[in-house]
Amino acid sequence: MQNFGPASDEPTRLANIVSPMFLGQTGWVQELQDGAKAELLAGADAQDDCAVFRVDGPMEVVLGSDYVRGPKFRLYELGYLSNYDIGYYLAMANLSDIAAMGALPIALLSVIRYPKSLPDTDFTTVIEGIRDACREVNTLNVGGDIGSAERIILSASAMGIVEQGRSLLRGGARPGDRLCVTGPTGIAASAQRYFGIFDSGSTKLPDEREELLISAWRRPRALVRQGRCLSTSGVVTSCQDTSDGLKAGIQSLAVASSVGFMVDESALPIADIVTEVAVLTDCEITSLIMGDSVDFQLVFTVAEEDVPQLSKIFADAGLQFFSIGHATEAHEVSLRRADGTVEALPGTPWRHAT
Amino acid sequence: MQNFGPASDEPTRLANIVSPMFLGQTGWVQELQDGAKAELLAGADAQDDCAVFRVDGPMEVVLGSDYVRGPKFRLYELGYLSNYDIGYYLAMANLSDIAAMGALPIALLSVIRYPKSLPDTDFTTVIEGIRDACREVNTLNVGGDIGSAERIILSASAMGIVEQGRSLLRGGARPGDRLCVTGPTGIAASAQRYFGIFDSGSTKLPDEREELLISAWRRPRALVRQGRCLSTSGVVTSCQDTSDGLKAGIQSLAVASSVGFMVDESALPIADIVTEVAVLTDCEITSLIMGDSVDFQLVFTVAEEDVPQLSKIFADAGLQFFSIGHATEAHEVSLRRADGTVEALPGTPWRHAT
């Protein structure tokens, strides 16, 4: 590893840290199932005005942006997340949007701003977190922007490619479609709830359970493989990630598709750790599962008759999903409790003033 | 215009402000000279996880990110720039990177974070600035991220398309190539220098001259038409924008291309307003022209024998460029003064510690 200065200026950081770390990106290729390719002609190592891809055939290109709330990132403030962790998180949060479109990620652009005093080692750690998250889902950090600010600011954009006609939009659910989710939700929210209430010293949960909770924030995972199974199956009618919480995800599929949903409480996948935190913190489990929680699961719809085909595709890939309800003509989004009563979906969705 | 609340939450802003403002984006098409097209299938009005483009043939896709220093944006702090202006600037700064690659911009993603108290009217004004800048160069704001932060934070990414093999990189200049620039530089730096020294009340310059100075920040322009002339000509060997200053731009072409440059002081295009500010503020003109100044001109190289062809293309388009020197075998970047003496290029380049 190169010699670090205490806090190099931007041209020096680009030359000494960013460029060597991303050496050899040029020529990297991502290929779709129909053979269409995207090849990186100029990546982060090129330090040009932009990254450049050659795309060789008809395809769909998807792109989105997410900002990570630095100092408002409560678990970072509390010392549970390192600089590496927030870099990793930034990348995965952005890559999750690509996964939710059913696309293969081909690029991440990262914007990293920091106080002038931030040491080179800390800067490097943030970039390493971003790089490793990209590697984890087989993509590259191809550029972005670095420079000073009053405090750490992290933002990114991601781009992906998908076969023609296969992007997973939110607006295609039809009444009768099964509503499904790739895994349990509420874990990230449980971590915030737990660590917001208890000191790490107070050990209300065993260490390994605390580790499990915090790992939702330290090593989130964009479900690219699941997204690809959904898109290439050709049978999924709508999809989005649960980065604003499961309830928000379901509501947004409902609005975009002009349908409603009936969710079966008894069918919801529940992580044990969520139950443990709900009990410890005196919180209703289903509210915790449904509320604002950045778990990066995928929530989607598929016609009843196509469920067996999709189940087989997932099983063949060693993956799974859970059927948790169905789309309705009526536009309401409701919950059928285990006891048969029907009520509005509980949980506070994303950022609606509380 | 819709009724504004004092400060709506994000889902409400998306539904009431962003979505209506960007209604009807779907179906928008950008077409290259060889007929390859990018069609927007899901834009900002769709509010999906990502924007989606269908690209129909072989082409190159370019993408880059730039952050705008909100409260460190000195002229904003001093009250010379409005919320509309900084939105406009954010978009143009990002689109300039696309122009510098010779690409047609097809998308801008904007990240807008703000204190919770920011009124809906101010939020709307920022977005309107972004939208209008995009319109000015015939592209669209297709999405991004909004939400709260301690203060206004603006970041964006832009994407463009260019014919195969036509992206303008920094690394292709050869010894003997002419070094050219699309217009005078140093105006943005002159504005910072002037307004940083004088109060608006002290009227060292007439009002219309102050207006001219500040317009470099209020209504910057990404030189997309010039970039397209450069890329489609097929004769340009390297190019970048002058967003870090002319000296930084020339140095970066030199490093990327493994050449040096001899710049002729007498050939530099000079805006009268830069001369006026240099005199008023007791500053050497060439340093002001060369130093850190975000003017968004394009600096590029072209083989001597191809200059007439390129000049004709520009003239036919009603545009111009200036030959300011040539590439050398020796790796130094030097200035030949009007009196014939040769010295290192003056001016402080981008963000090297001062």
Side-chain angles (χ1 to χ4, degrees), chain B residues 228-300:
Chain B
R228 293 294 294 155
C229 284
L230 296 177
S231 62
T232 58
S233 75
V235 298
V236 169
T237 54
S238 71
C239 178
Q240 77 161 95
D241 71 359
T242 63
S243 58
D244 296 330
L246 182 55
K247 179 177 180 176
I250 294 171
Q251 284 179 329
S252 137
L253 294 183
V255 170
S257 301
S258 297
V259 297
F261 287 103
M262 178 64 72
V263 179
D264 294 317
E265 185 178 38
S266 60
L268 291 170
I270 306 177
D272 291 343
I273 192 73
V274 172
T275 308
E276 292 167 44
V277 170
V279 169
L280 257 179
T281 65
D282 196 23
C283 171
E284 205 255 325
I285 293 183
T286 303
S287 296
L288 201 48
I289 288 172
M290 285 288 167
D292 190 359
S293 179
V294 283
D295 296 297
F296 304 125
Q297 296 294 336
L298 303 179
V299 57
F300 60 94

Side-chain angles (χ1 to χ4, degrees), chain A residues 3 21 33 62 70 152 154 167 171 212 231 242 302 343 346 349-350:
Chain A
N3 281 326
M21 197 183 294
Q33 286 200 343
V62 305
I152 286 203
L154 296 172
S167 290
L212 180 65
S231 62
T242 63
V302 52
E343 59 186 78
W350 169 71

Side-chain angles (χ1 to χ4, degrees), chain A residues 59-246:
Chain A
M59 62 173 68
E60 287 170 16
V61 172
V62 305
L63 67 162
S65 282
D66 263 323
Y67 168 92
V68 167
R69 280 161 286 177
K72 284 287 174 192
F73 218 60
R74 189 154 167 66
L75 296 177
Y76 177 68
E77 280 185 317
L78 292 172
Y80 293 105
L81 301 178
S82 67
N83 285 315
Y84 180 92
D85 295 336
I86 59 171
Y88 197 98
Y89 184 95
L90 170 72
M92 280 300 185
N94 276 276
L95 293 165
S96 178
D97 283 333
I98 303 301
M101 304 302 290
L104 274 178
I106 61 170
L108 186 92
L109 293 170
S110 54
V111 173
I112 311 172
R113 311 294 299 212
Y114 39 76
K116 273 192 196 303
S117 60
L118 185 86
D120 279 6
T121 45
D122 289 358
F123 170 79
T124 304
T125 306
V126 174
I127 298 247
E128 285 174 343
I130 294 170
R131 177 199 61 189
D132 291 352
C134 289
R135 278 188 184 159
E136 192 63 29
V137 296
N138 187 28
T139 192
L140 296 177
N141 180 3
V142 298
D145 187 37
I146 67 169
S148 62
E150 297 73 38
R151 56 173 187 81
I152 286 203
I153 290 171
L154 296 172
S155 188
S157 298
M159 178 167 144
I161 56 174
V162 56
E163 293 81 2
Q164 274 205 101
R166 292 291 191 232
S167 290
L168 302 173
L169 303 178
R170 296 180 183 178
R174 293 156 303 195
D177 281 359
R178 280 270 194 99
L179 176 68
C180 306
V181 68
T182 49
T185 56
I187 303 172
S190 297
Q192 284 180 299
R193 197 171 166 80
Y194 176 84
F195 291 106
I197 293 175
F198 302 114
D199 286 342
S200 57
S202 69
T203 59
K204 293 282 178 179
L205 281 175
D207 284 358
E208 76 272 15
R209 301 306 283 167
E210 289 195 347
E211 276 298 316
L212 180 65
L213 267 183
I214 198 70
S215 70
W217 290 90
R218 285 195 185 139
R219 297 295 173 272
R221 198 178 167 91
L223 301 184
V224 172
R225 290 181 61 221
Q226 286 85 340
R228 293 294 294 155
C229 285
L230 296 176
S231 62
T232 57
S233 75
V235 299
V236 167
T237 53
S238 70
C239 179
Q240 78 160 93
D241 71 359
T242 63
S243 59
D244 295 331
L246 182 54

Side-chain angles (χ1 to χ4, degrees), chain B residues 114-183:
Chain B
Y114 39 77
K116 273 192 195 306
S117 60
L118 185 86
D120 279 6
T121 45
D122 290 357
F123 170 78
T124 304
T125 306
V126 174
I127 298 247
E128 285 174 342
I130 293 170
R131 176 198 62 190
D132 291 352
C134 288
R135 278 189 185 160
E136 192 64 29
V137 297
N138 188 28
T139 192
L140 296 177
N141 181 3
V142 299
D145 187 36
I146 67 169
S148 61
E150 297 72 39
R151 56 173 186 80
I152 285 203
I153 291 170
L154 296 173
S155 187
S157 297
M159 178 167 146
I161 55 175
V162 56
E163 294 80 4
Q164 274 205 100
R166 292 291 191 231
S167 290
L168 302 174
L169 302 178
R170 295 180 184 179
R174 293 158 303 196
D177 283 358
R178 282 272 194 97
L179 176 68
C180 307
V181 67
T182 48

